[in-house]
């Protein structure tokens, strides 16, 4: 393990999405850009991700991981929360508002993302299975239910709570994984919400950094 | 909305698991017992969970929610983290150790629980579907992969980091949802880990409180 003056983030050497910004390192890059924290990127091959050395950092052999001095973190939610707690800009100062912004991080990861992961499994991993075509509408319906609930809550607001927070960063990152499916097309309010996230300069810097060949 | 001197937790009036402690209020009850915070339980019917009044508390119409004075929280992960941050006993004091314990909360909710939810969907919601029998081994294999990785990391240790934390509380709560499937039977190390959690007096008090008819 080399030492580095900057925090080190791991990401796919060859992202399966071909640089569309849908891998889980992107949400951490976005948070790093929002708080103005420079970092060193360490790209990993699929073989390296499953190595014992990397599993010491990430027990499930995935990306991203984050190392800052003695601190070694895994899980994009934990890394984003860590950054949001240690830098201004991603969480409100008032305690209750802060707790609510953090609740949206969890809602993104534990309520909205699971059916989206299931949709990915259905569309990619189970594409050749005999049940693929018949099962897909059922999986899509579970995603749509979450989108409807989220859209109803968002209403005409710009962000989920009073101002942009790590909760929006995570929710938008999770929703973006749906873009290739077309399921967002039927929901202009969520489409506009995602576009507001993407138009942030920090998002654009993060996207550019991952879209470039490493 | 009535006011209450104690924090108010919502839970199923009739839990679909019949009181086996597998619903998401159980992890919050366990955390409340660990930190010694008394609370008022508000049981909700399925109809009440989908009401506009409850959706004001929980945008996705689910349980649990947590109200403490002006604070209104949803998402079991957010509520457990909130309690762990405000009371001693569920997070280490040292900053890096604290961040790692929090990372395990996220690992439980975003890496381990999604395939477990998918297994639940496969076994319960898709039980009558024509693909049920053929697809089940594939879903079980995804769960088993997570269990193997988790088990390898745990090794012979009692807890995921130096001492019991909110990360263990959440991981054990998530793993318990697997018990009816029999998938834990092949993994004695994880079985012992779960049993260590269940033997904690706080877990037992929480379990007893949800097993009783409300």
């Amino acid at each position: 393990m080399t030492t580095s003056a900057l925090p080190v983030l791991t990401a796919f050497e060859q992202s399966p999405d071909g640089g569309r910004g849908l891998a889980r390192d992107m949400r951490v890059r976005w948070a790093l850009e929002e708080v103005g924290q420079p970092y060193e990127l360490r790209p990993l091959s699929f073989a390296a991700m499953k190595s014992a050395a990397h599993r010491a950092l990430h027990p499930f052999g995935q990306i991203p991981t984050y190392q800052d001095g003695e601190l070694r973190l895994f899980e994009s939610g934990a890394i984003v929360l860590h950054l949001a707690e240690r830098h201004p800009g991603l969480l409100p100062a008032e305690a209750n508002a802060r707790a609510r912004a953090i609740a949206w991080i969890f809602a993104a990861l534990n309520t909205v993302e699971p059916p989206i992961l299931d949709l990915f499994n259905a569309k990619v991993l189970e594409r050749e299975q005999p049940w693929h075509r018949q099962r897909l509408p059922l999986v899509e319906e579970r995603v749509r239910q979450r989108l409807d609930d989220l859209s109803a809550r968002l209403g005409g607001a710009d962000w989920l709570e009073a101002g942009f927070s790590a909760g929006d960063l995570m929710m938008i990152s999770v929703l973006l994984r749906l873009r290739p499916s077309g399921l967002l097309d039927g929901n202009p309010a969520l489409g506009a919400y995602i576009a507001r996230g993407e138009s942030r300069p920090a998002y654009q810097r993060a996207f550019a950094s991952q879209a470039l060949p490493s």
Side-chain angles (χ1 to χ4, degrees), chain A residues 74-167:
Chain A
F74 67 108
E75 286 288 330
S76 59
I79 302 168
V80 167
L81 179 60
H82 170 79
L83 293 170
E85 282 181 333
R86 275 148 196 81
H87 301 269
L90 284 176
L91 288 175
E94 193 273 321
N96 286 355
R98 197 174 180 91
R100 286 196 61 83
I102 293 171
W104 283 110
I105 300 179
F106 283 102
L109 296 173
N110 197 231
T111 296
V112 177
E113 194 166 40
I116 293 176
L117 292 173
D118 194 22
L119 181 66
F120 173 84
N121 289 340
K123 293 190 84 145
V124 179
L125 305 186
E126 300 178 30
R127 172 170 293 280
E128 304 302 326
Q129 299 291 352
W131 58 78
H132 170 69
R133 186 186 297 261
Q134 203 182 351
R135 185 170 175 269
L136 198 56
L138 191 152
V139 180
E140 289 179 338
E141 183 48 37
R142 284 183 205 137
V143 174
R144 219 174 269 118
Q145 203 178 325
R146 297 294 191 230
L147 297 184
D148 289 349
D149 287 348
L150 182 65
S151 184
R153 165 52 64 104
L154 186 64
D158 278 358
W159 309 112
L160 290 167
E161 299 285 331
F164 176 80
S165 79

Side-chain angles (χ1 to χ4, degrees), chain A residues 5 13 16 33 105 107 136 175 181:
Chain A
E13 190 175 63
E33 295 289 348
I105 300 179
L136 198 56
L175 292 173
S181 74

